[in-house]
Amino acid sequence: MNIKNLSSQLSQDFQLKNISFNLHSGEILTLLGRSGSGKSSLLRCLAGLQNYQADICTIPRPLGMVFQSANLFAHLTLEENIKLALIKTQKKTNSEAQKICEQVLEQVQLSHRGKSKPHQLSGGEQQRGAIARTLALVPKVILYDEPTSALDPELVEEVFDLMLSLKKQGLTQIIVSHETRVVKKVSDFVGVMNQGELKWFGALADLKPQLHLMEPDEKKYLQIFT
Amino acid sequence: MKKNICKYLLKISLLVASLLFTTQISAEELRWAADAESGAPYVFYDAKNPTQIIGFEYDLVQILAKKLNRNPRFVQNAWDGLVPGLDREEYDIAINGIEITEDRKKVVLFSNPYYATNLQLVVRQDELRFKNLSDLAGFKVGTLTGALSEKTLRAETGIEILLYESEANAHQDLSLGRSDAVLFDAPIAKYYSEVDSRFKILPTVIGSMTYGIAISKKNQELQKKLNSALQQMIDSGELKEIYERWAIWNSPTAQLFNDTSPTRTPPAEFENYKNNLNSNRGLAEKFKIYKKTFPILATAALKTVQVSFCAMIVAIIGGLVLVGARLYGGSFLRTFVILFVELIRGTPLLLQLFFIFYALPSLGVEFSPFWAAVLGLGINYSVQESEIYRSGLLSVHQNQIEAAKLLGLNSWQSFWSVQAPQAFRISLPPMTTDFIALIKDSSLVSVITMVELTKSYSTLASTYYDYIGFAVIAAILYMLIGLPLVLVSKKLEKSNK
């Protein structure tokens, strides 16, 4: 994934400015930054939900995205959720879709919950279900917008394990999160966003020595993660 | 080739038109309209046989039709709609104690007067304060809406006027002391006040008026024929005989007909009426009446079901079109829909029904009473439905729509597979409430000649002076009509969870 000088006017007084970074397949980037720094907006740009300009913007496709909540279609069972796009957009037959569905459900360890509606699933199961739905389309990139912030602490681990196993399969993943464990356990890289700009990009280990260069309140925020 | 098709179509439409035309002519009906709820002695249901209409005007029309060599057919319409309804040609004449006034002459033709009478004041039996209208300044006086008596009261100063739809209600309030007097046409006073020991009629006669048969302005020929037939009935004494049987022969009418001969016929109909007036019926007798009249209520309930069901379909389709245009249409379409919604939402349903039924025909758009009712209710409720659908669609979480987009669904697929089903689930409970309200609002269509459940109820209640019993039956019928709707929606809600 190669992004060079991505900008986007989000509202009259807020914009993303000159964002550039590179990721290889199998790498995980965590975007840090306080509320309103533009992390989620950057994800939405990458997902194509938000207009932007960029000098270079190479994003491998297909691409999947997992939201903080309300990912799964509320009126459909987990299986139906997964099969919907397969049948509607990839023109797969029902039995083909069913096969894929069973595979991805097994991958996220939800084979036994396929017939459940989203509201019958726990928060962690819902997030894993949403990831399974994305996986069914064989994505090269998955974007997560605060995927664990609505989850109970013990459920967070479920999602982390899944991210790591996807990493092994070569998926590129970008995570927006305030979760210190994400940064420590799963990320290869950390991106620090502030006022619409990517202020810093690199390995977590490299961040600590440079903290003294940051503004005081920025430093205070980032110290939690290092 | 194209020309041939045109010719063919023209031929067919001519054929259809001529068929319609000839059926109208060959029927030779005299369609006469009245409001059977207007009460005795004009046109009302026989308490002994509640499917049969009786009254001195009913008798008059029977003889009149015979003289014109036509078959009388009764058309029910609310009293307020009788005159405007003439333009729609749902009926040929309206005869229901309609006073000949200059105002009305501007919009319809009148036959020569067939009856002359006065207004009279009715007070409680123990009342001593009043002799004349002028004594009532500062007091409350009741009367019937839209009648000449209302106008007479308005001309007086200082009287607080109470308007009623039925004689029974006016009397009820008088006996309870909510009003101090009521002003009625003399025949009404005779049939409703004289027979009731709680009241007395003041001897002073007030004003004078004549009743005429109202005819559409287009129908001058019929006016002539009616006048000559009426004259025959006056000359032969047939008309006087009717009035004598109903005990309403009076000196103004005698003057009008120039007939000073002594009365000959006993007031058999009035006696009959009095005998049937026993309002203190026992429970067993009441149930006999309910059993006898149930088919009437059931038929009316069926009409309510038909109108409501068709209106619901119109409301759903209209609601979908409106919400589609509002959410996904261009700015012009959107503005139009917003204005339309505000127009319909901001005006009373009753007005809309009147407009569709009585005003649209003058613009060349004419619907039968049934379809006018369906359309009026349907359009009115389509606006509410569209707002329900809109709030349903808007309350679907944005993530769900974005998730669909990210999965590669196009906006059409996203709408039908994701947004619409969820919006439907959200909309279901308010839709059910809305449709139950529609069923109840269908009672308003009685103003456009439709006899539905509420109209039937009030007619029967006024025939038998039993407002509670029939109300209970009507209420149960309404709930039964709404019940399937509730059950279906419960089931849908469950299966959609």
Side-chain angles (χ1 to χ4, degrees), chain A residues 129-192:
Chain A
I131 295 169
R133 186 177 64 186
T134 299
L135 290 177
L137 301 177
V138 202
K140 297 205 169 70
V141 178
I142 302 185
L143 311 175
Y144 304 87
D145 190 358
E146 308 204 17
T148 57
S149 61
L151 300 185
D152 288 345
E154 76 275 17
L155 300 177
V156 173
E157 297 290 334
E158 291 181 14
V159 178
F160 287 168
D161 293 344
L162 189 55
M163 285 172 176
L164 286 171
S165 85
L166 294 176
K167 174 182 164 70
K168 278 182 199 145
Q169 294 168 33
L171 268 80
T172 308
Q173 299 176 80
I174 303 181
I175 309 161
V176 164
S177 181
H178 293 295
E179 177 74 55
T180 53
R181 281 180 293 172
V182 173
V183 182
K184 286 177 179 155
K185 284 183 77 172
V186 261
S187 315
D188 301 303
F189 297 104
V190 171
V192 179

Side-chain angles (χ1 to χ4, degrees), chain A residues 3-58:
Chain A
I3 309 292
K4 196 151 195 191
N5 284 333
L6 181 146
S7 304
S8 173
Q9 191 72 38
L10 296 164
S11 66
Q12 273 190 329
D13 48 8
F14 188 64
Q15 54 180 352
L16 296 179
K17 280 172 289 192
N18 304 325
I19 291 168
S20 305
F21 64 90
N22 263 316
L23 283 179
H24 294 104
S25 62
E27 290 178 336
I28 299 183
L29 163 66
T30 301
L31 290 173
L32 299 177
R34 282 166 303 165
S35 301
S37 58
K39 310 177 300 280
S40 294
S41 302
L42 176 57
L43 275 202
R44 292 171 58 80
C45 284
L46 299 177
L49 296 173
Q50 182 77 50
N51 293 328
Y52 60 87
Q53 301 84 42
D55 292 344
I56 299 173
C57 185
T58 323

Side-chain angles (χ1 to χ4, degrees), chain A residues 64-199:
Chain A
M65 182 161 171
V66 176
F67 301 94
Q68 182 178 0
S69 66
N71 279 293
L72 294 170
F73 302 133
H75 62 298
L76 300 176
T77 63
L78 185 50
E79 275 184 3
E80 288 165 342
N81 258 284
I82 294 167
K83 287 184 334 196
L84 180 68
L86 293 172
I87 293 168
K88 293 266 178 199
T89 67
Q90 303 200 345
K91 306 292 169 209
K92 298 240 189 300
T93 64
N94 191 45
S95 59
E96 285 170 335
Q98 185 65 35
K99 225 174 183 177
I100 296 170
C101 180
E102 281 162 19
Q103 279 170 11
V104 291
L105 281 179
E106 196 175 331
Q107 207 176 342
V108 299
Q109 296 170 12
L110 280 179
S111 301
H112 57 299
R113 303 307 309 264
K115 299 276 185 282
S116 305
K117 290 257 173 102
H119 70 97
Q120 296 163 323
L121 299 171
S122 75
E125 286 173 328
Q126 284 185 34
Q127 287 306 58
R128 281 186 289 148
I131 295 169
R133 186 177 64 186
T134 299
L135 290 177
L137 301 177
V138 202
K140 297 205 169 70
V141 178
I142 302 185
L143 311 175
Y144 304 87
D145 190 358
E146 308 204 17
T148 57
S149 61
L151 300 185
D152 288 345
E154 76 275 17
L155 300 177
V156 173
E157 297 290 334
E158 291 181 14
V159 178
F160 287 168
D161 293 344
L162 189 55
M163 285 172 176
L164 286 171
S165 85
L166 294 176
K167 174 182 164 70
K168 278 182 199 145
Q169 294 168 33
L171 268 80
T172 308
Q173 299 176 80
I174 303 181
I175 309 161
V176 164
S177 181
H178 293 295
E179 177 74 55
T180 53
R181 281 180 293 172
V182 173
V183 182
K184 286 177 179 155
K185 284 183 77 172
V186 261
S187 315
D188 301 303
F189 297 104
V190 171
V192 179
M193 296 281 297
N194 191 3
Q195 294 183 347
E197 288 180 76
L198 186 60
K199 292 279 185 191

Side-chain angles (χ1 to χ4, degrees), chain B residues 114-133:
Chain B
Y114 61 85
Y115 187 69
T117 185
N118 317 95
L119 296 170
Q120 280 184 297
L121 277 170
V122 177
V123 293
R124 287 183 291 275
Q125 195 62 255
D126 57 356
E127 186 65 71
L128 297 168
R129 293 171 289 176
F130 316 123
K131 286 223 152 42
N132 211 329
L133 257 191

Side-chain angles (χ1 to χ4, degrees), chain B residues 128-262:
Chain B
L128 297 168
R129 293 171 289 176
F130 316 123
K131 286 223 152 42
N132 211 329
L133 257 191
S134 52
D135 304 330
L136 281 153
F139 292 96
K140 291 177 185 162
V141 181
T143 192
L144 301 178
T145 43
L148 195 69
S149 51
E150 183 190 340
K151 243 185 173 175
T152 310
L153 285 176
R154 295 217 182 279
E156 293 289 318
T157 47
I159 291 179
E160 189 179 334
I161 304 165
L162 303 176
L163 293 176
Y164 297 93
E165 294 290 336
S166 78
E167 295 84 357
N169 290 346
H171 279 104
Q172 179 81 2
D173 273 8
L174 179 60
S175 75
L176 291 173
R178 289 180 186 149
S179 64
D180 303 293
V182 286
L183 187 65
F184 283 138
D185 295 14
I188 299 178
K190 183 169 185 68
Y191 273 75
Y192 287 86
S193 317
E194 189 185 302
V195 296
D196 192 328
S197 60
R198 293 175 297 172
F199 311 113
K200 64 180 177 192
I201 304 171
L202 295 182
T204 326
V205 291
I206 298 161
S208 70
M209 59 210 185
T210 52
Y211 296 153
I213 303 171
I215 311 144
S216 163
K217 279 240 163 168
K218 297 173 216 158
N219 219 341
Q220 277 170 339
E221 203 182 326
L222 182 61
Q223 184 193 31
K224 257 183 238 159
K225 283 183 185 164
L226 284 174
N227 279 340
S228 87
L230 270 177
Q231 197 53 50
Q232 285 176 35
M233 290 171 70
I234 294 170
D235 294 343
S236 65
E238 284 166 294
L239 200 47
K240 183 183 179 190
E241 190 199 314
I242 293 175
Y243 296 147
E244 284 176 353
R245 274 194 288 118
W246 288 95
I248 53 168
W249 179 253
N250 59 8
S251 61
T253 310
Q255 262 176 8
L256 181 71
F257 293 175
N258 212 0
D259 182 346
T260 49
S261 60

